[in-house]
Amino acid sequence: MTGTRAALHRPGTVGETVRILAEAGDAELLAGGTDLVPALRAGTRRPRAIVALRRVLELRARGACAQALTIGAGVTYAELADWACAPGLAATARAVGSAQIRNAGTVGGALGSANPRGDLLTFLTAAGTDVLTCSARRGPRTAPLDDFLAGAPGRGRGELVTAIRVPRPRGPQVFLKIGGRQAAYPALVSCALVVDRAGGRVSCAIGGVASTPLRASEAESFAAAEIDWTSPGRDEAAWASVARRFGALVADAARAAPAQLPEGPRDPAAYRWHAAGVLAGRALARCFAGGDQEHGAPAEGGARMPHLRSSGGDQGHGESAEGGARMPHLRSSGGDQGPGESTEGRGR
Amino acid sequence: MTAVGTDTGAGSGGDVPVRRVLDRGSAARDDHADEDTDAGPVVQPYRLHVDGGLRTVAGAWLGDSLLTVLRERLGITSVKDGCEQGRCGSCSVLLDGQLVAACATLAADAADARVTTLAGLPADGLAPAVRAAFLRHGAVQCGFCTPGFVVAVTDLLGRRPQADEDEIREALAGNICRCTGYGRIIAAVRAVQADITSAGAEP
Ligand SMILES: Cc1cc2nc3c(=O)[nH]c(=O)nc-3n(C[C@H](O)[C@H](O)[C@H](O)COP(=O)(O)OP(=O)(O)OC[C@H]3O[C@@H](n4cnc5c(N)ncnc54)[C@H](O)[C@@H]3O)c2cc1C
Ligand code: FES
Ligand code: FES
């Protein structure tokens, strides 16, 4: 066996990891492998060295303090999926892939791949997230997710994501997505809505439209202004019209976003803008009116076998988490798996 | 390139002759070789704990997935190669007790984990009942998806013996079957559950 230069490194600590990364030059980090290993097989990535994080136990920690949740880069979707402190994150994690993917795929891998269709990125954008990184050259740093993602293409190798920090939920949170079979394909469009009742704010992020998740600030201010934060009881018809207007504003924001993703035969840009609006309107209705007035009763979730779908074709899917839930009451339902939702068909 | 793995093998599928079962992806490997003539991305020999035995893997490529190593180097062909993209579940195995797609797991990084394939599911656990139910209920047609399903179903029922049909379907969404239409598979799972309940035994 000549030339065993190619190497697998399996460090045990963050310090060791960043040192190896700095020394190894062309090295690829490996977490769960759900993105990287198929890419290695396909030959689309050919690192000379791989630095595997499986043994770095400090990356697997997660914790909660009064203000924020800190989640190590090595935490898997499956671990997030039953985390009661973070119902919105949990719902998002449950909407990812299959059991096999959720057991392996990690938060750090989602950030490392920075897939514009990544479900977690959409949710984290709405929630307002900081990314904690470490490199041998610059030591530990913290950056807002937007900055992290903006730097992603040119981000030097050698930077390890150690954790993310997300504010504690302070109101209802909903994640919805639409696309092909969830277990096999990323969503075409996803939408996360995060409500901060104490601060009177609504945050909405859309994934799958532009190269990074976009925020719909005009729609957010509209919703915040429409909501009576002190006594939110309001009749459902009124909510339906607010939700419709909200969705239209989100669709406008999607249309206006720079760096649109390339169109495919199955996802022309106009379809994505429309889907963004529909999902956002639905998400808002879920948060406040406790239902989906426009589209009838929520249907079953998406993570099913394909034959279940009467359409037999593409399916929408999504989940909501009413963390601290519907206005005005109910903190107790937080963490319950909301019903999934089928989205309307592809027809435009 | 030697395909190795015969040091133990007892009870771990080692009775299957070690040979190259499939050689898909060899083109990609040759590319590596061209690019990197004197330094092919070969890793140091490592050991894998597979189905209770310790197997040595030598001469493997850095990027080899656990699927590639199990099938092509260790001859464990119950782990099927359907898509190599984590999408079909036919390569489902347990890694330290967690259901994963072997094709999305780096083999060399599994070195200190326990890998369990169909053959390694404990004989005194649920697996024999799951296998029997699959046969009895016509949940096997061509059989290509079956090992992956049996691993996934055994994992599910071990953790969630009372899972309702929705939960079963959700848990099995990562396993694709092109023959049965799933109805027979669900019937088999329900039958195992019914047996567990009527036996009053905790799995
Ligand atoms: C069949 C299938 C279905 C999927 N479905 C979905 C879905 O529905 N929704 C969705 O959002 N995603 C989906 N994915 C994508 C995938 O599961 C996620 O992107 C996952 O989070 C990747 O994590 P990982 O740990 O497996 O990463 P890996 O594959 O190990 O790594 C991915 C990238 O991140 C880098 N990296 C890993 N850890 C770190 C770190 N700590 N710091 C810096 N960089 C790092 C790696 O170098 C690599 O470039 C799917 C994937 C598959 C194969
Ligand atoms: S071969 Fe691994 S999931 Fe298809
Ligand atoms: S029995 Fe043929 S794929 Fe399932």
Side-chain angles (χ1 to χ4, degrees), chain A residues 20-98:
Chain A
I20 294 170
L21 275 180
E23 286 165 6
D26 173 31
E28 189 97 48
L29 287 165
L30 171 75
T34 58
D35 281 334
L36 184 59
V37 175
L40 293 173
R41 181 56 159 169
T44 52
R45 293 218 230 158
R46 301 169 173 201
R48 234 165 248 270
I50 290 176
V51 182
L53 301 173
R54 188 183 296 278
R55 284 175 164 168
V56 188
L57 295 182
E58 57 195 297
L59 294 179
R60 311 207 59 159
R62 63 180 190 199
C65 68
Q67 294 303 316
L69 307 170
T70 303
I71 298 149
V75 171
T76 62
Y77 293 114
E79 286 162 346
L80 284 181
D82 52 19
W83 201 20
C85 309
L89 262 179
T92 307
R94 281 194 295 266
V96 170
S98 60

Side-chain angles (χ1 to χ4, degrees), chain A residues 1 3 5-6 8 10 32-33 37 41 46 48 52 54-55 98 100 103 181 183-185 303-305 307-308, chain B residues 24 29 35-36 38-42 84 87 92 98-99 103-104 108-109 112 166 169-170 172-175 182:
Chain A
M1 207 190 322
R5 191 142 47 96
L8 176 69
R10 307 184 74 210
V37 175
R41 181 56 159 169
R46 301 169 173 201
R48 234 165 248 270
R54 188 183 296 278
R55 284 175 164 168
S98 60
Q100 287 89 336
N103 281 340
R181 189 173 200 262
Y185 300 98
R304 318 267 158 149
M305 296 180 185
H307 76 289
L308 263 191
Chain B
R24 292 201 353 210
R29 292 167 180 192
E35 193 180 88
D36 220 353
D38 69 336
V42 177
E84 298 198 316
R87 291 184 174 154
S92 297
Q98 300 271 330
L99 185 72
C103 67
D109 189 36
D112 48 15
D166 280 355
R169 286 186 180 273
E170 165 135 30
L172 300 179
N175 292 75
Y182 303 103

Side-chain angles (χ1 to χ4, degrees), chain A residues 212-239:
Chain A
T212 56
L214 64 97
R215 283 282 290 271
S217 45
E218 211 175 308
E220 291 173 353
S221 348
F222 162 78
E226 283 296 313
I227 292 159
D228 177 352
W229 294 94
T230 51
S231 78
R234 192 202 252 256
D235 68 89
E236 301 206 327
W239 274 119

Side-chain angles (χ1 to χ4, degrees), chain B residues 67 80-92 101-104 174:
Chain B
L67 171 65
K80 298 298 178 204
D81 179 347
C83 71
E84 298 198 316
Q85 299 191 324
R87 291 184 174 154
C88 74
S90 64
C91 67
S92 297
C103 67

Side-chain angles (χ1 to χ4, degrees), chain A residues 117 188 208-209 260-272 346 348:
Chain A
R117 303 188 192 284
L188 281 181
V209 168
Q260 299 271 333
L261 291 175
E263 293 180 79
R266 289 178 168 222
D267 59 333
Y271 170 77
R272 298 193 299 233
R346 292 301 184 85
R348 274 159 292 132

Side-chain angles (χ1 to χ4, degrees), chain B residues 138-146 149 176-182 185:
Chain B
V140 181
Q141 287 187 25
C142 79
F144 190 86
C145 67
T146 310
F149 264 105
I176 290 180
C177 175
R178 300 197 67 180
C179 303
T180 65
Y182 303 103
I185 291 174

